Amino acid sequence: MAKKVAVIGAGVSGLVSLKCCVDEGLEPTCFEQTEDIGGLWRFKENVEDGQASIYQSVITNTSKEMSCFSDFPMPEDFPNFLHNSKLLEYFRIFARKFDLLKYIQFQTTVLSVKKHTDFSSSGQWEVVTESNSKKQSAVFDAVMVCSGHHILPHIPLESFPGIERFKGQYFHSRQYKHPEGLEGKHILVIGLGNSASDIAVELSKKAAQVFISTRHGSWVMGRISEDGYPWDIVFQTRFRSMLRNVLPLTVQKWMIERQMNRCFNHENYGLEPQNKYLMKEPVVNDDLPSCILYGAIKVKPRVKELRETSAIFEDGTVEENIDVIVFATGYTFSFPFLEDSLVKVEDKMVSLYKYMFPPHLEKSTLACIGLIQPLGSIFPTAELQARWVTRVFKGLCTLPSERTMMADIIKRNEERIDLFGKSQSQTLQTNYIDYLDELALEIGAKPDILSLLLKDPKLAVKLYFGPCNSYQYRLTGPGQWKGAKRAILTQKQRILKPLKTRALKASSDFPVSFLLKIVGLLAIVVALFFRLQWF
């Protein structure tokens, strides 16, 4: 008889977990608190307690080819970076294609997840839910927690002396939806992450003045990279990942600094990271430097004190007539339906094996999906997590001993601090390709580049030097997809399709620039010849 699995949440992680359960022959039931799928990526005009919230203008920071699920490419006419409504459309297409909606119980809140009385032998869980004011209890063989980590706002008011005297309006970025109602205001945005930058840029179009306060600074990069390709298509390759693993850390950091300062000097814009040698996730924003350049946004250091209508900064400067403060200060983790001992966050460390499994359980039948912050797209990451977890539930993959798992957790945390620092916002940070390969290795889906080089050198070169997207993890092993190779070889046309909306005459096969280079080279040769003749 198929094992019954409870999936909590019907956002990205929940949807892909449902599909992985079905693929492995498990029997999933998904509990979704709201009336629809999409989770964080479904914009709603009003903020609701216990639910993720985004602003209306949110656009993805990772491109479609690097963000799609491994056996389901996004439509080729979709733009490379998607507005939240377009991404939600993709999730709806995905859910319909694999008939996932029938497994979801909407408007159902999970109240508690507790070990069954015979857990030590069965590994089962008792899940209590509530729908239409009626409580129900059911027993499941396993649980996948897919409720996300962008729900409980972190507002460190104790770090802002004088906040109680401030006469203006202040709120967390979670409350922000659009700039209406904030026209003509002097606005202070606290933080310099992606949300802070997006909100500051958007508000700067309507506000009298926007200030952005940062404690540590940040690298800022645009979505467009070399030759106009999406940044992650260029940067997220196995070759670059190899360089990061073999080059000394000082060399890596020097290279990153040069790369980040290529478009503009971060020091001149007041954005340079305080510790620029940490490998922290950069801010992805195309407009922030321009807004600073023409004065719509002014970058300020940490707030030292707040007064009735002003802010005093640690460099001694004062900005008067502040009307609104937006705290873009991140989120804390909260799983109110779980016992505190199951998912521990202590000293900014998550005690989960590979960010998924509580190491102390007698039976590995509970896992968190998507509780991670990779330096790349979360969607393929959550998918690989779900693929591995469902195989563990099924007994096809096994976990090491509790001692080994705890040692891995501690070592991983030490490496995370060395690379990314101790900031709360970096608690879930991890390298991208290394982590994907780690998961793929567990399920036998990691591509073997060397053997592929002998069998199919063209594909091997694409895998190693091209973008490391999710299709690579469907070439072999469990869950192999026959369309994976074609998806890899045709990704360029899906990238260019939505860009080429204006018909142009075919360019010459012998470009003028190449001709000029040849002529210049000949001129140099001739000049050298006559110089030698002269002597």
Side-chain angles (χ1 to χ4, degrees):
M1 191 170 79
K3 289 188 174 181
K4 294 182 178 181
V5 180
V7 177
I8 303 174
V12 180
S13 298
L15 289 174
V16 78
S17 293
L18 280 175
K19 180 181 179 295
C20 290
C21 283
V22 174
D23 288 347
E24 290 294 344
L26 302 173
E27 188 179 314
T29 300
C30 178
F31 300 109
E32 168 55 40
Q33 188 176 3
T34 71
E35 73 285 356
D36 202 356
I37 65 170
L40 174 69
W41 291 97
R42 183 165 59 91
F43 172 77
K44 296 182 78 171
E45 189 65 40
N46 299 313
V47 179
E48 298 179 18
D49 289 340
Q51 296 177 28
S53 175
I54 56 171
Y55 38 98
Q56 193 172 29
S57 59
V58 168
I59 295 172
T60 60
N61 289 333
T62 54
S63 66
K64 68 174 182 178
E65 283 299 299
M66 300 297 284
S67 301
C68 62
F69 298 126
S70 58
D71 56 356
F72 195 66
M74 292 194 192
E76 64 176 12
D77 61 338
F78 270 35
N80 283 284
F81 292 96
L82 289 85
H83 183 263
N84 59 83
S85 60
K86 202 71 175 174
L87 185 62
L88 182 59
E89 182 183 339
Y90 171 68
F91 295 149
R92 294 195 192 285
I93 297 170
F94 176 79
R96 285 196 301 270
K97 167 72 175 177
F98 297 104
D99 199 17
L100 302 178
L101 296 181
K102 67 183 181 183
Y103 300 104
I104 305 174
Q105 295 183 16
F106 291 106
Q107 295 183 314
T108 302
T109 301
V110 175
L111 300 178
S112 67
V113 176
K114 295 181 179 179
K115 294 178 182 177
H116 197 257
T117 51
D118 63 349
F119 179 83
S120 58
S121 58
S122 70
Q124 291 181 324
W125 299 87
E126 184 179 357
V127 178
V128 178
T129 60
E130 183 176 23
S131 180
N132 297 321
S133 302
K134 290 178 62 177
K135 291 184 180 180
Q136 284 189 321
S137 177
V139 175
F140 289 89
D141 298 300
V143 176
M144 301 176 82
V145 180
C146 308
S147 52
H149 55 95
H150 292 92
I151 294 173
L152 193 63
H154 173 62
I155 311 181
L157 295 181
E158 68 280 358
S159 300
F160 295 86
I163 185 68
E164 70 281 356
R165 299 198 305 266
F166 181 65
K167 292 183 177 180
Q169 177 187 10
Y170 69 86
F171 55 88
H172 190 268
S173 57
R174 181 174 184 269
Q175 304 291 128
Y176 177 79
K177 293 296 179 179
H178 36 63
E180 280 69 30
L182 298 172
E183 298 90 340
K185 305 281 188 182
H186 289 77
I187 301 171
L188 172 61
V189 178
I190 306 290
L192 187 57
N194 286 309
S195 294
S197 302
D198 283 351
I199 292 169
V201 165
E202 186 167 74
L203 287 172
S204 71
K205 306 292 193 297
K206 300 285 184 74
Q209 181 65 58
V210 173
F211 304 95
I212 192 164
S213 168
T214 174
R215 290 179 300 165
H216 305 301
S218 178
W219 298 122
V220 178
M221 61 185 288
R223 291 177 174 84
I224 302 173
S225 188
E226 296 169 15
D227 293 327
Y229 284 98
W231 73 269
D232 48 359
I233 291 291
V234 175
F235 283 97
Q236 301 289 10
T237 70
R238 291 185 178 279
F239 174 69
R240 286 179 181 258
S241 180
M242 178 275 295
L243 289 179
R244 286 192 288 269
N245 289 331
V246 300
L247 290 175
L249 210 53
T250 50
V251 175
Q252 289 185 54
K253 291 171 178 177
W254 174 78
M255 290 171 64
I256 288 172
E257 183 177 0
R258 282 180 58 85
Q259 181 69 44
M260 291 300 171
N261 279 326
R262 183 175 292 178
C263 291
F264 69 97
N265 188 310
H266 282 63
E267 183 182 0
N268 292 343
Y269 282 63
L271 293 169
E272 186 175 71
Q274 194 175 67
N275 188 343
K276 57 188 177 182
Y277 296 119
L278 288 176
M279 311 283 280
K280 291 175 68 175
E281 179 182 24
V283 169
V284 179
N285 194 290
D286 303 294
D287 302 315
L288 181 60
S290 296
C291 291
I292 295 170
L293 194 62
Y294 60 74
I297 295 176
K298 294 182 180 180
V299 181
K300 305 294 292 185
R302 182 181 67 86
V303 173
K304 181 181 178 182
E305 182 185 353
L306 292 168
R307 293 181 179 171
E308 287 84 353
T309 59
S310 61
I312 303 171
F313 300 91
E314 64 179 356
D315 60 357
T317 58
V318 180
E319 295 296 343
E320 303 283 355
N321 303 316
I322 301 294
D323 301 299
V324 179
I325 301 175
V326 181
F327 286 93
T329 45
Y331 293 84
T332 56
F333 316 126
S334 175
F335 303 96
F337 48 84
L338 293 178
E339 296 174 358
D340 292 340
S341 61
L342 285 176
V343 182
K344 293 181 181 178
V345 182
E346 296 175 334
D347 299 323
K348 298 175 184 176
M349 179 178 81
V350 180
S351 293
L352 293 172
Y353 180 56
K354 298 189 190 292
Y355 297 97
M356 285 177 280
F357 291 99
H360 56 278
L361 293 176
E362 304 100 305
K363 300 286 184 179
S364 301
T365 55
L366 182 141
C368 294
I369 307 297
L371 188 61
I372 192 168
Q373 196 172 325
L375 291 176
S377 178
I378 183 64
F379 311 139
T381 308
E383 182 186 24
L384 267 175
Q385 286 183 329
R387 288 174 67 186
W388 181 38
V389 164
T390 50
R391 291 182 68 77
V392 170
F393 289 169
K394 202 174 177 183
L396 299 173
C397 296
T398 56
L399 301 185
S401 67
E402 179 182 349
R403 183 177 178 181
T404 302
M405 287 192 280
M406 280 306 305
D408 180 86
I409 290 168
I410 293 168
K411 181 185 177 185
R412 195 180 295 271
N413 187 59
E414 290 170 351
E415 291 174 348
R416 177 188 62 80
I417 291 172
D418 287 343
L419 283 174
F420 308 117
K422 295 182 178 181
S423 169
Q424 177 179 325
S425 62
Q426 311 304 316
T427 304
L428 300 174
Q429 200 84 70
T430 186
N431 277 323
Y432 185 54
I433 296 175
D434 292 344
Y435 183 72
L436 293 182
D437 279 350
E438 201 177 321
L439 298 179
L441 198 60
E442 294 284 354
I443 60 178
K446 181 185 175 185
D448 187 342
I449 307 293
L450 289 178
S451 66
L452 201 57
L453 193 59
L454 301 174
K455 300 174 187 174
D456 193 338
K458 180 182 177 182
L459 180 61
V461 168
K462 286 276 188 184
L463 295 189
Y464 195 68
F465 294 101
C468 182
N469 45 34
S470 59
Y471 315 129
Q472 296 197 11
Y473 301 105
R474 291 286 184 178
L475 287 167
T476 187
Q480 185 175 357
W481 175 48
K482 63 181 181 181
K485 178 180 176 179
R486 185 174 185 279
I488 292 167
L489 297 179
T490 57
Q491 58 192 323
K492 183 177 179 180
Q493 72 186 47
R494 288 190 300 277
I495 294 170
L496 297 179
K497 171 74 173 178
L499 302 177
K500 296 191 172 185
T501 55
R502 171 180 166 235
L504 299 174
K505 291 182 180 178
S507 57
S508 169
D509 292 331
F510 202 73
V512 174
S513 60
F514 182 70
L515 259 178
L516 291 174
K517 287 177 184 177
I518 296 295
V519 171
L521 187 61
L522 287 172
I524 292 170
V525 171
V526 170
L528 286 172
F529 175 77
F530 279 109
R531 183 177 176 82
L532 289 172
Q533 289 290 93
W534 178 265
F535 286 110

